[in-house]
Amino acid sequence: MRRRDFLKYTGGSLAATAIGVPATNALAQAGCPVTSPGAVVPFELRISATTITMIDGQEFPALGFNERVPGPVLRVKQGRNVSIKVRNDTPELHGFEITGIGKWDVGPNSTVTATFVAGNCGSYIYHSRVGGSPLYRLLGLHGAFIIYPDYDELRCTGQLVTPYDLAAFGAAGNSLKKVFEALGTTDRFQSGNGCDGRWHPCEDTGQELTATEYSNQEKVWVLTQVDPSFNALVQPNGRVPIKPLIQDITNRWLPRYFTINGRSGFDLSHAPDVVPSNYIGEPTLMRIMNVGLCHHANHIHGNHWIELTMADLVNKGGRSMFGPEGHALSIDTVPVDSRQVIPRTNIFEVDTLQMWPLQRKDVLLPFEVPPDMPYVKNADGTYTPVQFNDMVARGNNLEFINSTLKSENEPFPLRFVMHCHTEMSTTAAGGNYPQGMVTHWQINGGLGQRETDADRPRKVVAL
Ligand SMILES: [Cu+2]
């Protein structure tokens, strides 16, 4: 698929419908609208050959789900019966796996329906794995699978709204709970001016795919790499005639492109599915997963990432590859298992996020006033972000027609870079810098300014 066509494929052949089932008593007694916990959510995926286009215009053969790399984001509410019909339009066996959930073999030119109940809330990777080899995953057969709680039920019953089932985490979820409780209620994570400072989930529209990929509150980042010499193996019918051994892949893997959601460099600028773009007091959940074979160390400027959950990886010997704080104990083997979503019990704030192959981490970008901008210390020991407040007061915003842009002041949107600290990852095609895993995030204005900006005429920018 050509990268210019990416936006056209938001719907694809994916369908999501809900079928009503009888009400649960507890919810009905609480006066809550009762959704349908067991409803079947049918997804359809098709495995076939496709084409990917890189930042330098080069096209390579690839394998894709629904002719997309990565495949569509699949989102499902916890408790739903999931049905994923996987059609394999290649003459080779594929193993459809959702990490930590299950694996189903899909024979050559045949169809298999994977069914299961959506369990532990969090972020998962789906991919094709045959015989423990990462080959098909690297050639493009990968995507994100998301399980989220029933937000309407949480709201209606007065529970804290988070992306997780805190009760299922038990005591291990206490630290996570405190993070979400702090939002909008502390000096640091403020509310006011019409903004409650809380994290809000993206609205459940029923057609769940589109809402997630372009949600303001949630960004899904699928990280990977492209080594054209491996892509060259893919034949037009999706066959990969040469089967390199796992060692051959890991030893010979020489990636030349480093992508987020299939794109890199300039193509990531202004990409609505990738770039977090909000106001102060509007925290954004970021679901980051590395489906490639290289380690990434994504470094964000302007705010710190708050680590929420991670998925533990297990090596061939069955040993965990990470210590309790998430540091790698063993990095010399390809992980063979990728387990359940685990809440961080000791919450770290990080600027550089370690992402090992097949690791997936949820982090929160708090959208607080950047701590590195000039502050003034007050007599009572508190700090005032004078420069940021000045920007808000002047209303300097490049996106509006009548912004009073003063060159000596920084205008909104205030943009901060995100780049991978594994230096080769910031390049493309063997040295083209910075056309690799580089993007940005942006603060559009101060606390509650979304409301006041809503009526201002915007400039139209052609992309
Ligand atoms: Cu940096």
Side-chain angles (χ1 to χ4, degrees):
M1 186 180 76
R2 302 179 64 85
R3 73 192 146 93
R4 301 283 176 221
D5 291 340
F6 181 82
L7 296 178
K8 288 198 300 195
Y9 288 85
T10 54
S13 59
L14 195 75
T17 53
I19 301 157
V21 297
T24 56
N25 286 337
L27 280 175
Q29 281 167 10
C32 297
V34 177
T35 50
S36 41
V40 177
V41 183
F43 294 111
E44 288 182 16
L45 294 174
R46 187 172 76 92
I47 295 172
S48 69
T50 186
T51 306
I52 52 173
T53 308
M54 298 289 98
I55 180 71
D56 56 358
Q58 295 237 55
E59 291 192 3
F60 302 116
L63 294 173
F65 286 108
N66 297 359
E67 296 183 45
R68 294 177 53 173
V69 179
V73 176
L74 308 183
R75 299 185 83 237
V76 66
K77 198 179 283 185
Q78 187 184 31
R80 292 269 166 95
N81 295 309
V82 182
S83 159
I84 306 175
K85 194 178 183 183
V86 185
R87 190 173 115 199
N88 177 5
D89 277 353
T90 78
E92 293 181 317
L93 172 74
H94 279 280
F96 178 73
E97 176 176 281
I98 307 178
T99 54
I101 292 179
K103 183 169 178 286
W104 296 262
D105 283 344
V106 193
N109 293 306
S110 60
T111 300
V112 159
T113 302
T115 57
F116 58 95
V117 177
N120 197 3
C121 293
S123 308
Y124 300 83
I125 295 165
Y126 68 85
H127 62 123
S128 171
R129 168 142 61 188
V130 177
S133 169
L135 181 63
Y136 290 138
R137 186 180 89 231
L138 297 170
L139 293 176
L141 289 175
H142 56 251
F145 183 82
I146 311 292
I147 302 177
Y148 60 93
D150 189 331
Y151 295 123
D152 292 335
E153 183 182 324
L154 292 176
R155 285 194 200 98
C156 185
T157 53
Q159 296 178 68
L160 186 66
V161 174
T162 79
Y164 307 104
D165 178 355
L166 289 179
F169 286 150
N174 284 345
S175 303
L176 207 68
K177 187 172 178 230
K178 283 178 187 162
V179 169
F180 283 86
E181 282 174 344
L183 299 173
T185 64
T186 60
D187 285 346
R188 180 177 167 189
F189 303 117
Q190 295 182 355
S191 58
N193 198 21
C195 173
D196 68 5
R198 295 278 179 179
W199 177 77
H200 295 275
C202 61
E203 288 310 312
D204 186 357
T205 61
Q207 271 293 340
E208 309 176 44
L209 172 72
T210 311
T212 294
E213 292 190 332
Y214 302 103
S215 159
N216 278 344
Q217 296 87 350
E218 261 186 69
K219 298 295 172 196
V220 178
W221 282 11
V222 178
L223 318 177
T224 194
Q225 312 95 38
V226 173
D227 177 345
S229 67
F230 282 91
N231 284 78
L233 301 174
V234 181
Q235 294 187 345
N237 67 351
R239 188 166 171 254
V240 185
I242 301 164
K243 298 292 180 213
L245 298 172
I246 294 172
Q247 294 91 326
D248 288 341
I249 300 171
T250 53
N251 292 341
R252 294 180 190 173
W253 185 239
L254 199 61
R256 291 171 68 80
Y257 301 92
F258 306 87
T259 59
I260 303 175
N261 297 358
R263 286 150 291 156
S264 68
F266 183 75
D267 284 348
L268 288 175
S269 298
H270 309 289
D273 57 321
V274 172
V275 176
S277 171
N278 274 324
Y279 289 78
I280 297 296
E282 298 177 344
T284 302
L285 174 69
M286 301 184 67
R287 304 176 182 272
I288 304 178
M289 44 196 88
N290 182 359
V291 303
L293 212 53
C294 289
H295 165 263
H296 286 294
N298 300 87
H299 180 231
I300 198 155
H301 291 217
N303 270 190
H304 306 297
W305 268 322
I306 300 170
E307 290 192 317
L308 302 174
T309 63
M310 66 175 289
D312 202 12
L313 304 184
V314 177
N315 67 14
K316 270 183 196 154
R319 283 190 305 119
S320 170
M321 294 176 69
F322 297 92
E325 303 302 354
H327 301 299
L329 301 174
S330 158
I331 57 168
D332 56 347
T333 51
V334 178
V336 296
D337 190 13
S338 183
R339 285 186 182 170
Q340 288 290 338
V341 173
I342 298 167
R344 305 305 301 264
T345 51
N346 189 3
I347 305 278
F348 276 74
E349 288 184 63
V350 297
D351 296 328
T352 307
L353 192 64
Q354 303 275 359
M355 293 300 303
W356 298 95
L358 277 189
Q359 204 170 30
R360 43 197 217 270
K361 288 181 177 174
D362 288 1
V363 293
L364 195 73
L365 188 60
F367 274 80
E368 59 180 316
V369 176
D372 292 336
M373 290 183 74
Y375 280 63
V376 160
K377 190 175 185 181
N378 304 312
D380 63 357
T382 59
Y383 291 84
T384 301
V386 285
Q387 184 177 333
F388 190 87
N389 288 351
D390 186 57
M391 288 172 62
V392 172
R394 287 172 190 271
N396 290 347
N397 193 321
L398 289 171
E399 291 189 350
F400 298 105
I401 289 167
N402 296 319
S403 63
T404 52
L405 180 61
K406 297 248 180 12
S407 59
E408 70 269 25
N409 290 297
E410 190 123 33
F412 289 116
L414 192 51
R415 295 191 170 107
F416 295 96
V417 73
M418 192 301 298
H419 58 129
C420 180
H421 265 194
T422 309
E423 279 306 311
M424 67 174 179
S425 304
T426 56
T427 67
N432 189 346
Y433 175 89
Q435 298 301 331
M437 193 175 282
V438 179
T439 186
H440 73 274
W441 67 286
Q442 65 183 47
I443 299 172
N444 298 321
L447 190 70
Q449 228 180 337
R450 177 183 291 279
E451 288 297 315
T452 47
D453 278 353
D455 298 329
R456 302 172 70 189
R458 284 179 186 272
K459 288 174 185 167
V460 177
V461 181
L463 293 178

